[in-house]
Amino acid sequence: MYVGIVVGSVVATRKSDDLVGHKLLIVQKMKPNGEKLDDLEVSVDSVGAGVGEHVLVTTGEPAKYVFGTSEISIDSAIVGIIDSMEYSE
Amino acid sequence: MYVGIVVGSVVATRKSDDLVGHKLLIVQKMKPNGEKLDDLEVSVDSVGAGVGEHVLVTTGEPAKYVFGTSEISIDSAIVGIIDSMEYSE
Amino acid sequence: MYVGIVVGSVVATRKSDDLVGHKLLIVQKMKPNGEKLDDLEVSVDSVGAGVGEHVLVTTGEPAKYVFGTSEISIDSAIVGIIDSMEYSE
Amino acid sequence: MYVGIVVGSVVATRKSDDLVGHKLLIVQKMKPNGEKLDDLEVSVDSVGAGVGEHVLVTTGEPAKYVFGTSEISIDSAIVGIIDSMEYSE
Amino acid sequence: MYVGIVVGSVVATRKSDDLVGHKLLIVQKMKPNGEKLDDLEVSVDSVGAGVGEHVLVTTGEPAKYVFGTSEISIDSAIVGIIDSMEYSE
């Protein structure tokens, strides 16, 4: 999993059936010290995240299980909203 | 998932049986602000996408489910056509 | 799998049900000679690891099985605490 | 999937049982315009590809299904031989 | 799969049950021409490989099947010992 910040959202009317009803958010990877990294991806929200929030993102095959099924074409899910981090370099 | 732009297509007569009948498109990764990145891959269309369109791409194991089966040798699928994006750096 | 050092932890009150009760640690990838690399991720502990320890991390789909199930939205797990490494460049 | 060119082959007498009888080819990733990239990997042939041919490669979990089973330790398969590509930068 | 050279090993007494009895080797990725690359990972041996040998490594979900099960927290396996490679740049 990685730590990211929600920086936007995507609207797609024509899409796979299994994406219907899901919120597609743009997440930018960040370091625990707050520094934003270049990596951006579209992740499906599962916890009610909004723009500006620090989130925990699961990618790949395991991301599907947040949605209660193994048969869904989702490869990235926001699985938590981060309250705090402790980190020493 | 990532945001990309369809920049071309691939023709392969000799191919795996499970690819027959599928449209193989070349997708270039882009940032939400429209800047094209270096990453290019071949993705299988599932939504009727065409050259020049901004698309949403799912990769890896989850990409298979757009095609209604878990037993297919496809590791990247176009799962949506993007209408709009909101994004603040 | 990769070798890393535990450098911190993450607290997330609002999170996916299958993450409840798991310790979310921040792991920094390192070379066997001790040099820290730039890669950081959040990994779920399964062996009682703590900050400063050198750990072995499994990522992707296989990480789920440390937790005795295939239906969990975890893509990275600490699967061992490293006692020693032999390494010649 | 990615586009590559077959640049060599690997011989391994001592190997996993499920690799026996499979042709192990070295594939170099390329851009659609023919420019070779640095990435090289060993991919298992499924379409009768040979050195110098442009091929389509599937990686990760989906690569297994070209061989008609989900229980095989293959993470990369050549799934097509490319006849032509259309591509505009 | 990738070509690598075994450069070391890892000892971990406290570890996931499914790793017990497996040899954990450090593998450095290399080009077919022998040039070592920066990438290093810990891979589980399945063919009796030793330090200095050139090996073939499978990563991700497919790596599990070398060990005869889909329910094991292993994401990288040495699946062959390389006798020779033919390669032209």
Side-chain angles (χ1 to χ4, degrees):
Chain A
M1 289 115 114
Y2 70 85
V3 171
I5 179 164
V6 180
V7 293
S9 61
V10 169
V11 176
T13 311
R14 214 152 93 210
K15 66 188 163 204
S16 165
D17 287 347
D18 48 12
L19 291 180
V20 173
H22 288 296
K23 198 162 56 166
L24 303 166
L25 297 178
I26 302 172
V27 180
Q28 183 163 9
K29 204 171 175 174
M30 54 179 273
K31 292 177 98 163
N33 63 11
E35 188 191 331
K36 286 186 189 180
L37 299 169
D38 280 342
D39 306 284
L40 280 165
E41 72 167 352
V42 178
S43 191
V44 181
D45 182 39
S46 79
V47 290
V51 171
E53 281 185 301
H54 292 185
V55 292
L56 190 65
V57 179
T58 292
T59 60
E61 199 270 351
K64 302 181 303 182
Y65 298 99
V66 168
F67 306 101
T69 173
S70 67
E71 308 200 337
I72 193 169
S73 61
I74 288 175
D75 66 3
S76 177
I78 297 174
V79 296
I81 295 177
I82 294 174
D83 299 316
S84 62
M85 288 183 274
E86 276 187 41
Y87 169 63
S88 59
E89 281 191 82
Chain B
M1 289 114 115
Y2 70 85
V3 171
I5 179 165
V6 181
V7 294
S9 61
V10 168
V11 176
T13 312
R14 215 153 90 208
K15 66 187 161 204
S16 164
D17 287 347
D18 48 12
L19 290 179
V20 173
H22 287 296
K23 199 162 56 165
L24 303 166
L25 297 178
I26 302 172
V27 180
Q28 183 162 9
K29 204 170 174 174
M30 53 179 274
K31 292 177 99 163
N33 64 12
E35 187 192 331
K36 288 185 188 180
L37 300 168
D38 280 342
D39 306 284
L40 280 164
E41 72 166 351
V42 178
S43 190
V44 181
D45 182 38
S46 79
V47 290
V51 171
E53 282 185 300
H54 292 184
V55 293
L56 189 65
V57 179
T58 291
T59 60
E61 198 271 351
K64 303 181 303 182
Y65 298 98
V66 169
F67 305 102
T69 174
S70 68
E71 307 200 339
I72 193 169
S73 60
I74 288 175
D75 65 4
S76 177
I78 297 173
V79 296
I81 296 177
I82 294 173
D83 298 317
S84 63
M85 288 182 274
E86 277 188 40
Y87 169 63
S88 58
E89 279 189 86
Chain C
M1 288 114 115
Y2 70 86
V3 171
I5 179 165
V6 180
V7 293
S9 61
V10 169
V11 175
T13 311
R14 215 152 92 209
K15 67 188 161 203
S16 165
D17 287 348
D18 48 12
L19 291 179
V20 173
H22 288 295
K23 198 163 55 167
L24 303 167
L25 298 178
I26 302 172
V27 180
Q28 183 162 11
K29 205 170 174 174
M30 54 179 273
K31 292 178 98 163
N33 64 11
E35 188 191 331
K36 288 186 188 181
L37 300 169
D38 279 342
D39 306 283
L40 280 165
E41 71 166 353
V42 178
S43 191
V44 181
D45 182 38
S46 79
V47 290
V51 171
E53 282 185 299
H54 292 185
V55 293
L56 190 64
V57 179
T58 291
T59 59
E61 198 271 349
K64 302 181 304 182
Y65 299 99
V66 168
F67 306 102
T69 174
S70 68
E71 308 200 338
I72 192 169
S73 60
I74 289 175
D75 66 3
S76 176
I78 297 174
V79 296
I81 295 177
I82 294 174
D83 298 317
S84 63
M85 289 183 273
E86 277 188 40
Y87 169 63
S88 58
E89 281 190 80
Chain D
M1 288 115 115
Y2 70 85
V3 171
I5 180 165
V6 180
V7 294
S9 60
V10 168
V11 176
T13 311
R14 214 152 91 209
K15 66 188 161 203
S16 164
D17 287 347
D18 49 11
L19 291 179
V20 173
H22 288 295
K23 199 162 54 165
L24 303 167
L25 298 178
I26 303 172
V27 180
Q28 184 162 9
K29 204 169 175 175
M30 53 179 274
K31 291 178 98 163
N33 63 12
E35 187 192 332
K36 288 185 188 180
L37 300 169
D38 280 342
D39 306 284
L40 280 165
E41 71 166 353
V42 178
S43 190
V44 181
D45 182 38
S46 79
V47 290
V51 171
E53 281 185 300
H54 292 185
V55 293
L56 190 64
V57 179
T58 291
T59 60
E61 198 271 350
K64 302 181 304 182
Y65 298 98
V66 169
F67 306 102
T69 174
S70 68
E71 307 201 338
I72 193 169
S73 60
I74 288 175
D75 65 4
S76 176
I78 298 174
V79 296
I81 295 177
I82 294 173
D83 299 317
S84 63
M85 288 182 275
E86 276 187 40
Y87 169 64
S88 58
E89 280 188 83
Chain E
M1 287 114 117
Y2 70 85
V3 171
I5 180 165
V6 180
V7 294
S9 60
V10 168
V11 176
T13 311
R14 214 152 91 210
K15 65 188 162 203
S16 164
D17 287 347
D18 49 12
L19 291 180
V20 173
H22 288 296
K23 199 162 54 166
L24 303 167
L25 297 178
I26 302 171
V27 180
Q28 184 162 9
K29 205 170 174 175
M30 54 179 274
K31 292 177 100 163
N33 64 11
E35 187 192 331
K36 287 186 189 179
L37 299 169
D38 279 342
D39 306 285
L40 281 164
E41 71 166 354
V42 178
S43 189
V44 181
D45 182 39
S46 79
V47 291
V51 171
E53 281 185 301
H54 292 185
V55 292
L56 190 64
V57 179
T58 291
T59 59
E61 197 272 351
K64 301 181 305 182
Y65 299 98
V66 168
F67 306 102
T69 175
S70 68
E71 307 201 338
I72 193 169
S73 61
I74 288 175
D75 65 4
S76 177
I78 297 174
V79 296
I81 295 177
I82 294 173
D83 299 317
S84 63
M85 288 183 275
E86 277 187 39
Y87 169 64
S88 58
E89 281 190 80

